Amino acid sequence: MTGKAAAEAGACRAEDTASEPTEGPTQPSEEVAASEAPVAAPRAPAPTGAEPAPPSEDVPSAPLGLTVEDVSDRAVTVSWEPPERLGRRGLQGYVLELRREGASEWVPVNPRPAMVTQQTVRNLALGDKLFLRVAAVSLAGAGPPAVLAQPVHIQEAVEAPRIRVPSHLRQTYIRQVGEQVNLQLPFQGSPKPQASWTHNGHALDGQRVSVRSGDQDSILFIRSAQRSDSGRYELTVSLKGLEAKAAVDVLVIEKPGPPGSIRLLDVWGCNAALEWVPPQDTGNTELLGYTVQKADRRTGQWFTVLERYRPTTCTVSDLVVGNAYSFRIFSENLCGLSASAAVTKELAHIPKAGIIAKPQGFVKRDFSEAPLFTQPLADRTSTAGYSTQLSCCVRASPKPKIIWMKNQVDLQGDPKYRTLSEQGVCTLEVRKPSPFDSGVYTCKAINALGEASVDCRLEVKGRQGAPDGWRVFIRPEAADMVSPGRLQALPRGLGELVAQVTGSCPPGCHLMAHTCHCTLALGPALPESKGKDFNTPFCCPQVQSWALWGNESRSLAPSMAGHWVLGDGGESPES
């Protein structure tokens, strides 16, 4: 809008808006489609008698700071600041106009003034170059416009290229000779950027290295790596003057060579000192150390002495006296031990020295000890017919002799009792005891240094169902049929009594035994059995006897020995 046409347009806008209500607050922005912007219509020439242009004090000055905020492939956004002078008649708004490159006419973007300081023009075509200007409008007319110094070029949006290096490639990428090298680096950028690789700043060898670049990544591949492939590989991604770079360090290694010459410096005692020269070829990487091995001349087997030992001198100790040793040394890096080793040319002889044994005098300790019971016998209560055991512990050296007694009578050889002694534990087993086995039992230990004894009381209770008040008597006839010893009435089964005679044989017994054992079966203990004779011969034809009378034992005269009779608990039928 220029010259008189601009003045007429300003006057027209002033007339159109004179009847409108008071202007509102300024809005920050407004979006207008370029296709909807009105095309400037031809204007009639102003009449000769038109009113003169309003004074400069009535129109606002040009807006300040017109700048482009954003440009995309379809839109452009501009902003500005209010003018320094708003005019005496007040500010009505702003009018944004555009002009395409090659055109001469300015086209308003908004048909009416808008109270905004930022506008976005949309629906633009790719490749357009636009000139933009904005003018402040008051009731008196439009002020001078503010024009962009450079045209705005509408083109495809550009995304700056970026490269993302994987974590395993951020450190040195190590491969062995003959292995594959595969470097894949993802990148971003729009439109598709151009990717290129370099090796140590030089172009790649196309015969050994292949590169494939896609829309989102680039891959560098080497089928069989060589040590010459080590170095820095750099990827450059460029897009319309923008570029991004990423580097990957590649190290191709192999096993090291063997150490140089090895020398045997000295041999003393059971030790040998060695020295060697580092290898000339370390395998294109740092050495981890050396492995030292030894072998004696007799077996020829190699044994490792030191592993990953970094110095080039060492001392091998703990060599066997009288043997001759060879030594060899391997180099070691990340690929492993060297294919061969450096071996000493001479043997290390470990001489035998004269050794005089000085045996120390041996002091024999006397462990002799008199018997001592560490665990005494304990009083015990048992049930008739059920075997029971009495146990105690004794300590003595030499091993003591163990004697068991009941009521101070030796029980040795009695089949009713079983004795055991093992590791100082002494046990007396009473087989199927009866109430007459009750009494005081004694265990005595005797050796050359002394003796000791312990006592306990055993109480045997009769089982339910056994008859009470029955007595066993001896008839006076057949005295030669009685054996010396003790007579016991034992409950057996339901109501059955058994008389058992035990004791030591007197001098002159033809059996020449220490103990005689006889059992007399008295039959069922029933009322009709009272007074019935039970003739039973005994093994020892002597006249002295003992009989159990109630709970007491009494001595019978020789004339009273004879047959056994079952009584009812009263006096003997023969008494």
Side-chain angles (χ1 to χ4, degrees):
M1 185 182 307
T2 58
K4 188 176 180 180
E8 291 180 297
C12 182
R13 292 191 189 96
E15 291 175 1
D16 293 340
T17 59
S19 61
E20 293 181 2
T22 14
E23 56 195 58
T26 302
Q27 299 297 324
S29 64
E30 182 178 89
E31 296 182 0
V32 179
S35 59
E36 299 175 359
V39 179
R43 300 177 185 272
T48 310
E51 297 180 1
S56 60
E57 292 82 2
D58 293 339
V59 295
S61 59
L64 304 176
L66 179 60
T67 57
V68 177
E69 296 291 339
D70 185 30
V71 178
S72 65
D73 56 350
R74 301 290 293 173
V76 60
T77 301
V78 294
S79 64
W80 59 88
E81 297 294 334
E84 294 181 355
R85 187 180 71 252
L86 300 180
R88 290 184 297 182
R89 304 188 66 175
L91 183 65
Q92 189 180 10
Y94 301 93
V95 175
L96 179 64
E97 296 177 320
L98 61 86
R99 180 174 64 86
R100 288 178 171 84
E101 187 179 33
S104 59
E105 188 174 1
W106 290 90
V107 179
V109 176
N110 49 325
R112 290 188 177 185
M115 292 296 294
V116 293
T117 59
Q118 180 176 324
Q119 280 189 267
T120 300
V121 183
R122 299 185 180 276
N123 299 330
L124 300 175
L126 286 175
D128 283 349
K129 288 187 178 181
L130 304 177
F131 294 91
L132 296 172
R133 72 180 184 180
V134 64
V137 180
S138 68
L139 294 176
V147 184
L148 282 177
Q150 298 294 333
V152 179
H153 190 191
I154 305 301
Q155 56 185 353
E156 186 178 0
V158 177
E159 180 184 356
R162 291 188 301 171
I163 302 175
R164 185 179 63 85
V165 180
S167 58
H168 70 282
L169 296 178
R170 295 176 186 174
Q171 54 189 356
T172 303
Y173 185 69
I174 301 177
R175 308 302 293 173
Q176 294 188 22
V177 172
E179 294 182 344
Q180 296 179 353
V181 174
N182 190 359
L183 304 180
Q184 182 178 6
L185 296 182
F187 58 79
Q188 296 175 348
S190 178
K192 178 184 176 181
Q194 297 294 325
S196 61
W197 288 85
T198 59
H199 179 211
N200 294 331
H202 303 285
L204 299 178
D205 183 3
Q207 296 181 355
R208 301 194 63 258
V209 182
S210 59
V211 175
R212 184 191 64 81
S213 298
D215 295 338
Q216 298 180 349
D217 61 4
S218 182
I219 301 175
L220 183 146
F221 180 76
I222 302 176
R223 184 173 300 277
S224 179
Q226 301 297 327
R227 291 173 61 170
S228 59
D229 295 324
S230 302
R232 169 161 292 194
Y233 290 82
E234 188 174 56
L235 172 64
T236 302
V237 178
S238 57
L239 175 62
K240 294 185 178 181
L242 303 175
E243 66 178 13
K245 294 184 178 182
V248 178
D249 292 326
V250 177
L251 181 62
V252 182
I253 62 176
E254 60 182 345
K255 291 184 178 181
S261 60
I262 177 174
R263 294 190 306 121
L264 183 63
L265 296 180
D266 191 12
V267 178
W268 73 99
C270 297
N271 309 297
L274 304 174
E275 183 182 25
W276 60 92
V277 178
Q280 296 181 354
D281 183 12
T282 61
N284 201 29
T285 184
E286 181 183 0
L287 290 179
L288 298 179
Y290 302 94
T291 297
V292 181
Q293 295 182 345
K294 67 177 180 180
D296 63 88
R297 184 175 55 182
R298 296 179 181 178
T299 63
Q301 295 181 353
W302 292 97
F303 297 93
T304 300
V305 178
L306 299 172
E307 288 183 315
R308 294 193 175 182
Y309 183 77
R310 290 187 174 273
T312 56
T313 58
C314 73
T315 300
V316 181
S317 304
D318 299 329
L319 301 177
V320 179
V321 174
N323 284 356
Y325 289 90
S326 297
F327 301 94
R328 68 179 182 182
I329 300 176
F330 293 89
S331 304
E332 183 179 3
N333 62 6
L334 292 176
C335 291
L337 298 178
S338 57
S340 58
V343 184
T344 54
K345 297 180 180 180
E346 54 184 356
L347 298 177
H349 296 274
I350 309 301
K352 292 183 179 180
I355 301 177
I356 301 176
K358 296 181 179 180
Q360 296 181 354
F362 176 74
V363 179
K364 185 178 180 180
R365 183 177 177 182
D366 187 8
F367 291 95
S368 300
E369 182 182 5
L372 174 65
F373 283 91
T374 59
Q375 181 66 35
L377 292 171
D379 295 342
R380 190 176 183 86
T381 301
S382 180
T383 303
Y386 295 93
S387 299
T388 185
Q389 291 183 345
L390 304 177
S391 298
C392 60
C393 297
V394 64
R395 184 180 69 212
S397 181
K399 184 177 180 180
K401 177 182 178 181
I402 304 301
I403 300 175
W404 286 92
M405 296 181 292
K406 175 189 174 184
N407 297 330
Q408 301 302 320
V409 177
D410 190 358
L411 300 179
Q412 183 178 6
D414 194 334
K416 186 176 182 65
Y417 303 97
R418 181 186 176 203
T419 60
L420 298 173
S421 179
E422 184 177 358
Q423 300 294 329
V425 179
C426 305
T427 303
L428 174 67
E429 180 182 0
V430 183
R431 299 174 176 174
K432 296 183 178 180
S434 69
F436 305 105
D437 289 317
S438 301
V440 178
Y441 286 81
T442 303
C443 180
K444 181 182 291 187
I446 304 174
N447 69 359
L449 299 179
E451 65 179 43
S453 63
V454 288
D455 302 330
C456 74
R457 179 172 293 278
L458 174 64
E459 181 180 358
V460 182
K461 295 183 178 181
R463 293 184 297 178
Q464 295 182 357
D468 294 333
W470 295 88
R471 300 292 183 267
V472 180
F473 301 96
I474 299 177
R475 305 191 72 177
E477 58 269 20
D480 57 345
M481 301 297 291
V482 181
S483 67
R486 301 184 302 279
L487 176 64
Q488 299 175 345
L490 306 177
R492 182 177 182 182
L494 295 176
E496 182 180 3
L497 294 180
V498 176
Q500 181 179 10
V501 178
T502 61
S504 300
C505 292
C509 177
H510 70 283
L511 295 178
M512 300 301 293
H514 295 289
T515 306
C516 295
H517 307 281
C518 302
T519 301
L520 174 64
L522 299 178
L526 302 176
E528 58 269 18
S529 300
K530 183 175 67 174
K532 185 177 180 180
D533 290 348
F534 298 91
N535 298 327
T536 302
F538 290 90
C539 63
C540 188
Q542 302 297 327
V543 295
Q544 186 178 4
S545 66
W546 293 85
L548 183 68
W549 180 263
N551 292 328
E552 298 179 357
S553 298
R554 68 171 182 169
S555 177
L556 302 179
S559 60
M560 297 181 64
H563 289 74
W564 303 99
V565 179
L566 185 65
D568 60 357
E571 292 295 332
S572 170
E574 303 297 332
S575 58

